[in-house]
Amino acid sequence: MTLVSGTHDAHGAVYRDRGGREVVDHYGKPVRVGKAVRNVAGVIEMGYGVLAVRGDDRVEFVDNAVSNRVPTADGEGTYALLLDPQGGIETDMYVYNADERLLVFLPPERAESVAADWAENVFIQDVAIDDVSDEFGVFGVHGPKSTEKVASVLGGPGAPEDPLTFVRGSMVDAGVTVIATDAPLGEEGYEIVCAAADAGEVFDTLINRGLNAAPFGYRTWDALATEAGTPLFEHELAGTVPNVLGLRNALDFEKGCYVGQEVVSRVENQGRPSRRLVGLELDGAAEAVAGVDANADPEGIDAALPDPGAAVFDGDEAIGEVTRAAVGPATEVPVALALVAFDAGLGPVTVRVDGEEVSAAAVDLPFVDGSAASARLPTYPDLRA
């Protein structure tokens, strides 16, 4: 359940379920709002699950479980993955060292099971894991003016500079933690963490005080992340070996053993995975998309776009499948992400939409260059310049 439904409703919010949690899908005019994020700044209530890990052995315990090195200093964070024995991604997460505890932000549908699995694996270590999702409000501020936006309402220290570092301050009378993001939307960004009881006041401050910022929902989030070339858990990550997605920012090849590491290392040593993530410019869908007002009828635009799993063809050969498609807020043209055979070339392809093949072009990511590059932008050793 959203913590600030009254404010969302006042802005005309339409809701959807995301991993068992109610989030804002859009407020109307999602493409127009996406342009506001690209040009100035926008604010979104994030639908995270949150775990707190306490105890003297907390850093070692989590570090042994995940794919990246967990920071030992207060005020620092990392992006990491939890893998199954076959190397498939069970969840992604951000792990922040918050003094006497680690705070783990992850997809809401994964919080309960990860907490339970970790609790079962605590033996003689001094570790306690709690699901504290209901204790926090988390709001994302993204856009080229997001630093100015945060500075205009933050009391105390200046906004953090390095990705996944954070500072503590205040907004009006509420204590907040401000995290510098790793630019998942291809723009400068921050996440503002507050107590659940202060969420309404903090959200109002982010929208209405200081520099203007437009509220936006997850439909716009997904479209902006698509333009930025950022793979997301619910679309690309779940069950996929991370090498396939080029998620090198989530992998530390020098750290100790964790579940799935053997597979990840084997693929790395081979030099290339079987598939890779590319962008598709959906030229053949442009006319159909142009016939629908994506701002007035955001749901109607979906029918003109390929569904997740739609086949991608190079001539008569199926080379991959679409993972998600959207109308790009920056360009207002249909684009998609697709997993294709690693050796497939860029250039003309076709995509199956409602049983018919429409023309497209496979391209390198990202689709647009914003004020920052997504840290999740796919990177493959054999494709480096």
Side-chain angles (χ1 to χ4, degrees), residues 57-244:
D57 299 323
R58 61 191 180 278
V59 173
E60 180 184 9
F61 177 84
V62 177
D63 189 76
N64 286 338
V66 302
S67 65
N68 215 345
R69 196 169 298 278
V70 173
T72 58
D74 178 42
E76 298 180 356
T78 192
Y79 178 66
L81 307 170
L82 196 64
L83 306 179
D84 64 26
Q86 291 73 46
I89 298 171
E90 291 190 344
T91 189
D92 65 340
M93 62 181 67
Y94 291 100
V95 183
Y96 298 103
N97 190 317
D99 196 13
E100 295 185 351
R101 62 183 177 178
L102 300 178
L103 289 179
V104 181
F105 292 12
L106 68 172
E109 66 269 32
R110 300 298 296 134
E112 182 178 354
S113 61
V114 171
D117 289 345
W118 280 0
E120 288 181 359
N121 286 294
V122 174
F123 299 108
I124 62 173
Q125 300 110 314
D126 180 13
V127 175
I129 301 110
D130 296 296
D131 186 339
V132 294
S133 304
D134 294 337
E135 297 181 15
F136 296 99
V138 185
F139 302 96
V141 181
H142 298 271
K145 299 294 184 182
S146 59
T147 301
E148 291 91 326
K149 170 63 198 183
V150 169
S152 71
V153 294
L154 178 63
E161 295 183 3
D162 294 332
L164 305 185
T165 62
F166 61 88
V167 298
R168 300 173 178 91
S170 62
M171 289 186 182
V172 190
D173 295 325
V176 298
T177 297
V178 179
I179 304 167
T181 72
D182 53 358
L185 304 188
E187 302 289 352
E188 297 175 16
Y190 301 88
E191 289 188 337
I192 316 301
V193 185
C194 64
D198 295 325
E201 183 177 23
V202 170
F203 190 50
D204 179 72
T205 296
L206 291 172
I207 294 174
N208 296 315
R209 297 183 176 132
L211 183 72
N212 288 340
F216 69 100
Y218 270 92
R219 180 176 289 267
T220 300
W221 171 277
D222 286 349
L224 291 166
T226 301
E227 285 188 327
T230 298
L232 300 176
F233 175 72
E234 59 269 39
H235 297 291
E236 289 84 26
L237 273 65
T240 306
V241 175
N243 314 66
V244 168

Side-chain angles (χ1 to χ4, degrees), residues 226 229 236 244-245 275-281 312 319 321-324 335-342 344-347 349 361-365 367 378 380 383:
T226 301
E236 289 84 26
V244 168
L245 298 168
R275 297 179 297 164
R276 62 187 175 105
L277 192 67
V278 301
L280 298 180
E281 294 176 343
V312 179
I319 60 170
E321 61 182 29
V322 170
T323 59
R324 72 181 188 264
V335 294
L337 298 184
L339 282 170
V340 301
F342 189 89
L346 301 177
V349 295
V363 298
D364 280 328
L365 295 167
F367 293 103
Y380 303 97
L383 296 178

